[in-house]
Amino acid sequence: CLWCYTNNTCIDYPVRSIFPPSSLCSFSNARWGVCWINFEALIIAMAVVAGLILVSITVCCCYCCYCRRRSRSRLEEEEEQLARKKEERRLQSLQRKHERKLKHDEIRKKYGLLQDSDNPYSRFENE
């Protein structure tokens, strides 16, 4: 129903067009459905709501894209840190292994268990 205040009549809404033509009723005097909903106010309100929805969707998309890029760079930094720490632990482990080997060699030398490096296959003789 399209209520027109100029002639106080209820007209069937022209379904073929989205907005009622000015020949039926002027836009400022046209009311939609019930008498208190002004067509101009309805269109303005719908435009504002649609604009807010579009702006919020755009802001959400931009924010999500920014967060993804930032989280990717953060992940890459964490991976690099983990790789550096792993390499440091490996080097420390090798250093400790070398120190243990030197200590064991000293003990072997002290007790005469260190084999001759020239002939590693010599037989151990009890004297």
Side-chain angles (χ1 to χ4, degrees):
C1 176
L2 175 69
W3 179 261
C4 188
Y5 263 125
T6 54
N7 53 10
N8 288 333
T9 58
C10 186
I11 308 166
D12 286 334
Y13 190 83
V15 183
R16 296 175 198 261
S17 63
I18 296 174
F19 304 116
S22 59
S23 61
L24 286 176
C25 189
S26 67
F27 223 50
S28 60
N29 291 325
R31 304 288 188 256
W32 180 71
V34 290
C35 296
W36 55 271
I37 300 178
N38 186 352
F39 238 106
E40 283 179 327
L42 178 69
I43 290 173
I44 290 170
M46 288 174 62
V48 167
V49 168
L52 287 175
I53 289 172
L54 287 174
V55 166
S56 63
I57 288 173
T58 304
V59 167
C60 287
C61 289
C62 291
Y63 181 74
C64 289
C65 290
Y66 174 73
C67 285
R68 283 188 191 146
R69 259 188 267 126
R70 189 170 179 188
S71 67
R72 283 182 188 155
S73 65
R74 236 187 254 151
L75 286 175
E76 289 172 359
E77 288 174 6
E78 286 179 9
E79 286 178 4
E80 288 175 8
Q81 272 185 338
L82 289 175
R84 281 194 305 268
K85 286 182 180 179
K86 184 178 179 181
E87 183 64 20
E88 287 174 8
R89 285 192 303 263
R90 188 183 69 81
L91 291 174
Q92 288 173 353
S93 172
L94 287 174
Q95 184 180 6
R96 285 192 307 266
K97 185 177 180 180
H98 181 70
E99 288 172 1
R100 277 193 313 270
K101 185 180 181 311
L102 289 175
K103 187 176 180 180
H104 290 158
D105 285 346
E106 284 179 21
I107 293 172
R108 285 186 189 109
K109 187 186 284 185
K110 178 180 177 181
Y111 291 105
L113 300 174
L114 188 64
Q115 295 178 350
D116 188 15
S117 60
D118 295 336
N119 190 5
Y121 298 107
S122 65
R123 188 172 196 171
F124 182 73
E125 297 177 15
N126 288 336
E127 295 182 13

